[in-house]
Amino acid sequence: MPTPDSTSSPSIRRQRNQRRDTSPTKKRKVLQRNSDNRDDEDDVSDDDTAQTPRSQRLPLRTSQQSLPPSSTSSAGLSRRPSRRASPVKKKQALIGLEKPVQFNELYAPAQQLPADVRSLYGRIRNIAYYHSNYLPLQDREMISRAVGEEIPDFSFKKATEGTIPVPARTNSDFDELQEILFTSYECRKLDRSELAVNMLVHAPLLKLALKNHHYVDEELIQTARICPPFMPPLADIGDKDGKVTEGKMVDLALVLTPAEDGSRALGRKPKGNMHDTAADKRLLRAIQTHVLHREPPEAQTINQTAYTPVMFRPIATSIETKGEGGAEEGKLQLGIWTSAWHRRMVSLISKLEQRGDGGSQPLWSSVSREIESRVITLPLILILGNEWKLLFACDRGDSLEILGDVPIGETSTLLGLYTIIAVLHEVADWIQSSFREWIMNVFMIND
């Protein structure tokens, strides 16, 4: 009689299985399988187990259109961002919108730019390209000492004839800009998030630049979303449900602040030594009346977003911030956001031209004036890391052309910060004059 194999003994096999089952991962696998296949499944090696997720991720290299929307079988899919894919993923695809958006290089400003921003561009070019007449004369000694070199005379603003010389550090931005420069360096060194940089560097810089502009304020709008009625649809599919894009749009904005709005209504000292006029008060009432009484609930805003802080304050300049190398995504977001603003303005102008419900006159005007057929050109700002770029969104009638990029300074140098401040002064002056006048024309307000 042959001697039985000791390894085939039931008791020995049970002991071996108990040793193999000490791993919690394998124990869960064994319990999930039929007991008849227990011995076969226990022979799976650690290498095979490690390879399983990789083999499951292989189908993700194929087109995602082949996967059902509710598919959860891929292990790698759960690690990807939860944001749903957008039909528009590159700025070049914006030409497929119902009103196409195209980005082009600004190489012939006199021919390419509309008349409403040509003089603005000329002043900005003198500052950012020629470095002319942009530094405060009273800060000359401090600036030269800080940068370690003598700065040419033409870079400093000329004292106006008949004015009293301003002592150094009187109404000076030097200390604040030095602090912003140090904070910017710290943000780069610590690799702070985009939100942190916006709050610690960009927002304080904008506030400093606008401190003397009565009608212009900065606003953080990172949580603002486009209202569905103003989402630009794709021409080929007519996306009326607002699915062109999802997620964050832009980060900051320069807004036109009408009379008695915001903190000025609480007794804050007027900025820029200016006071609201009767026309400003009529403009605010006109905006509030139209938004609250003539728009459906989903469109009760002067802008393309229902974000409360800009409900009654028209956005004049939108600002998007990205890290270095984020130009493609930044321009995509600016393009969609600006296209939505244009749709909102066209809708607003159309309703105002109807002269009220039932043919009645608007509540805020007794005189009808012809409204310009094209939307005003908008300055846009794209921040890539430390570098600031200026663009112009031009209404071409059947399309929207965005021209740029014009370098306007950087937050990594003191002179770069002074350049940004000087450019923002020019943009704010334009908002207080040309943009404000255009908005008043839209609402038929006599200044």
Side-chain angles (χ1 to χ4, degrees):
M1 181 175 180
T3 302
D5 185 2
S6 60
T7 60
S8 63
S9 171
S11 62
I12 295 177
R13 187 164 60 248
R14 283 194 300 271
Q15 293 176 1
R16 180 180 300 171
N17 290 338
Q18 289 175 356
R19 288 196 299 269
R20 290 176 176 174
D21 290 343
T22 56
S23 171
T25 303
K26 292 185 179 180
K27 186 173 182 179
R28 286 194 296 270
K29 291 183 178 181
V30 172
L31 291 177
Q32 292 173 356
R33 292 173 172 82
N34 190 288
S35 59
D36 295 335
N37 297 327
R38 182 177 299 169
D39 291 339
D40 294 334
E41 292 298 325
D42 284 347
D43 289 334
V44 177
S45 66
D46 292 340
D47 292 338
D48 293 337
T49 303
Q51 291 294 330
T52 301
R54 188 177 301 159
S55 63
Q56 290 176 341
R57 286 197 296 268
L58 288 176
L60 291 179
R61 297 180 180 178
T62 61
S63 173
Q64 291 187 359
Q65 295 178 353
S66 62
L67 298 176
S70 61
S71 174
T72 58
S73 60
S74 170
L77 194 59
S78 62
R79 299 174 185 172
R80 295 179 180 273
S82 59
R83 184 189 299 178
R84 185 168 51 186
S86 166
V88 177
K89 297 180 181 179
K90 293 185 177 181
K91 72 176 189 295
Q92 289 83 357
L94 294 178
I95 61 175
L97 295 178
E98 190 174 73
K99 183 171 182 175
V101 177
Q102 295 183 342
F103 283 83
N104 291 315
E105 180 183 355
L106 180 60
Y107 57 87
Q111 289 74 38
Q112 291 177 281
L113 289 176
D116 53 8
V117 292
R118 284 178 198 157
S119 60
L120 170 63
Y121 170 79
R123 295 191 299 271
I124 291 176
R125 179 189 57 189
N126 289 337
I127 294 170
Y129 184 76
Y130 295 110
H131 305 291
S132 172
N133 198 34
Y134 77 104
L135 294 174
L137 186 60
Q138 69 268 22
D139 292 349
R140 179 166 189 166
E141 182 179 347
M142 294 181 293
I143 295 174
S144 297
R145 188 186 310 118
V147 301
E149 61 182 56
E150 189 65 27
I151 300 174
D153 292 341
F154 63 80
S155 292
F156 292 91
K157 298 178 182 178
K158 303 298 185 293
T160 305
E161 185 177 352
T163 59
I164 301 175
V166 180
R169 294 189 176 273
T170 300
N171 198 31
S172 172
D173 296 335
F174 180 82
D175 292 337
E176 289 87 346
L177 289 179
Q178 281 281 64
E179 184 63 29
I180 292 175
L181 178 63
F182 298 150
T183 304
S184 176
Y185 169 78
E186 189 178 58
C187 287
R188 296 193 304 273
K189 181 179 178 181
L190 299 178
D191 195 21
R192 285 187 172 131
S193 68
E194 180 181 303
L195 173 61
V197 177
N198 285 335
M199 296 183 65
L200 297 174
V201 177
H202 300 144
L205 184 58
L206 292 172
K207 181 177 289 292
L208 180 63
L210 301 176
K211 67 180 182 180
N212 292 320
H213 288 82
H214 183 66
Y215 295 105
V216 186
D217 291 311
E218 78 288 344
E219 194 68 51
L220 276 165
I221 57 172
Q222 293 181 235
T223 60
R225 297 293 182 268
I226 297 175
C227 296
F230 309 130
M231 182 67 72
L234 295 169
D236 54 347
I237 63 175
D239 190 355
K240 303 301 182 183
D241 296 328
K243 305 300 183 184
V244 171
T245 186
E246 291 184 355
K248 180 182 72 67
M249 281 284 92
V250 298
D251 296 287
L252 302 114
L254 305 184
V255 298
L256 178 69
T257 300
E260 299 178 2
D261 189 33
S263 59
R264 289 208 292 271
L266 303 177
R268 180 185 181 185
K269 183 180 178 181
K271 296 196 307 177
N273 298 321
M274 296 178 63
H275 295 274
D276 301 327
T277 66
D280 299 316
K281 296 177 182 180
R282 291 199 305 271
L283 175 61
L284 176 62
R285 181 170 179 260
I287 293 174
Q288 293 172 335
T289 300
H290 178 86
V291 167
L292 297 177
H293 298 288
R294 298 193 61 199
E295 294 286 356
E298 65 274 12
Q300 288 186 340
T301 172
I302 186 63
N303 295 297
Q304 74 277 46
T305 177
Y307 185 53
T308 304
V310 294
M311 187 175 180
F312 303 127
R313 300 191 294 170
I315 294 175
T317 299
S318 299
I319 304 172
E320 171 59 9
T321 65
K322 290 292 179 187
E324 297 179 4
E328 180 77 15
E329 184 180 359
K331 289 183 178 181
L332 171 63
Q333 292 174 203
L334 275 176
I336 296 176
W337 178 260
T338 306
S339 178
W341 188 87
H342 269 246
R343 284 178 61 83
R344 204 293 169 257
M345 290 300 108
V346 170
S347 171
L348 177 66
I349 291 173
S350 176
K351 289 186 177 182
L352 291 173
E353 284 182 334
Q354 294 173 7
R355 298 164 60 86
D357 296 332
S360 62
Q361 290 280 353
L363 298 176
W364 51 85
S365 175
S366 59
V367 180
S368 174
R369 286 162 47 181
E370 182 179 355
I371 302 176
E372 296 180 12
S373 59
R374 294 190 179 181
V375 178
I376 191 171
T377 306
L378 287 185
L380 307 172
I381 294 176
L382 177 61
I383 304 175
L384 301 175
N386 301 312
E387 299 179 355
W388 287 47
K389 312 284 187 181
L390 181 70
L391 304 95
F392 294 95
C394 311
D395 186 10
R396 303 303 190 192
D398 58 352
S399 65
L400 179 64
E401 184 180 24
I402 300 181
L403 299 171
D405 310 351
V406 181
I408 57 171
E410 64 282 334
T411 57
S412 57
T413 68
L414 182 61
L415 292 181
L417 287 170
Y418 270 107
T419 303
I420 294 173
I421 288 286
V423 170
L424 290 174
H425 285 168
E426 297 296 340
V427 173
D429 286 344
W430 178 87
I431 293 174
Q432 287 194 159
S433 55
S434 299
F435 184 82
R436 175 170 166 264
E437 180 182 357
W438 183 80
I439 287 290
M440 285 191 168
N441 285 336
V442 168
F443 282 94
M444 308 174 195
I445 302 295
N446 292 313
D447 195 354

